């Protein structure tokens, strides 16, 4: 998977519309304190745990900021990942180096015994996490730079 500049948008799904000319794509409208953001959910979008998206659901959607976007309001992005979010947790998506620090320096992982590590299809993952695209679920971090956390769950996008 090529390197991406993934940006998260947290919020509540306001509505979901299908496209009249393409039933395999959805427009998902998310509202948060910054306003409304529209996401295109296509067959290329990874919907975490294949959850059925519904209005009122708390979600995090990630888009690639390095891709061109239309200059419209409200903003509209192609969703790379989207998934349900527990309000007490944070979801991070990105690549990590050999010391499990994200390549953007935003997070360092400390794997615990209770950390669940699985592939995107739910199978156990027992290989190195270095250089892999990871979706990380965590609730607390240290105040160090970079912040460190022991995640609850890691999904490896193979």
């Amino acid at each position: 998977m090529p390197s991406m500049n993934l940006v998260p948008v947290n919020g509540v799904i306001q509505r979901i519309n299908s496209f009249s000319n393409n039933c395999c794509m959805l427009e998902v409208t998310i509202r948060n304190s910054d306003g409304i953001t529209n996401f295109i959910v296509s067959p290329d979008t990874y919907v975490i745990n294949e959850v059925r998206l519904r209005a009122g659901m708390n979600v995090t959607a990630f888009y690639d900021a390095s891709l061109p976007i239309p200059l419209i309001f409200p903003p509209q992005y192609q969703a790379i990942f989207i998934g349900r979010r527990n309000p007490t947790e944070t979801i991070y998506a990105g690549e990590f180096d050999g010391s499990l620090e994200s390549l953007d320096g935003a997070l360092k992982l400390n794997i615990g015994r209770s950390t669940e590590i699985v592939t995107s299809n739910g199978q156990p993952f027992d290989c190195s996490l270095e250089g892999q695209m990871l979706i990380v679920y965590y609730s607390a971090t240290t105040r160090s730079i970079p912040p460190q956390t022991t995640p609850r769950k890691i999904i490896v996008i193979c």
Side-chain angles (χ1 to χ4, degrees):
M1 180 174 278
S3 184
M4 292 186 266
N5 181 13
L6 294 174
V7 177
V9 175
N10 298 313
V12 176
I13 296 177
Q14 295 298 296
R15 69 178 170 273
I16 300 172
N17 296 319
S18 55
F19 290 89
S20 59
N21 60 344
N22 188 344
C23 294
C24 292
M25 292 176 49
L26 299 172
E27 180 183 59
V28 177
T29 301
I30 297 176
R31 178 182 289 281
N32 61 21
S33 60
D34 295 329
I36 289 179
T37 306
N38 291 322
F39 284 92
I40 304 302
V41 176
S42 72
D44 294 332
T45 302
Y46 173 58
V47 179
I48 301 169
N49 295 330
E50 298 177 3
V51 66
R52 182 173 178 199
L53 301 173
R54 299 174 191 250
M57 183 181 283
N58 232 325
V59 296
T60 298
F62 292 88
Y63 67 91
D64 186 351
S66 63
L67 295 177
I69 58 166
L71 295 175
I72 59 174
F73 187 82
Q76 179 175 297
Y77 303 106
Q78 171 65 46
I80 304 298
F81 307 125
I82 188 170
R84 184 182 322 185
R85 182 178 69 87
N86 179 333
T88 63
E89 276 189 320
T90 300
I91 304 174
Y92 176 87
E95 293 182 50
F96 288 78
D97 65 16
S99 64
L100 296 182
E101 183 175 330
S102 63
L103 296 185
D104 64 4
L107 190 65
K108 180 163 177 25
L109 305 180
N110 299 313
I111 306 300
R113 280 192 259 232
S114 63
T115 302
E116 179 184 8
I117 304 173
V118 296
T119 62
S120 58
N121 63 6
Q123 303 309 303
F125 185 84
D126 297 324
C127 298
S128 170
L129 298 175
E130 180 179 1
Q132 300 287 344
M133 176 61 69
L134 306 178
I135 298 173
V136 180
Y137 286 80
Y138 65 94
S139 56
T141 62
T142 63
R143 292 182 181 222
S144 62
I145 298 177
Q148 297 184 38
T149 188
T150 302
R152 174 182 64 84
K153 183 175 185 176
I154 298 173
I155 300 171
V156 182
I157 307 299
C158 296

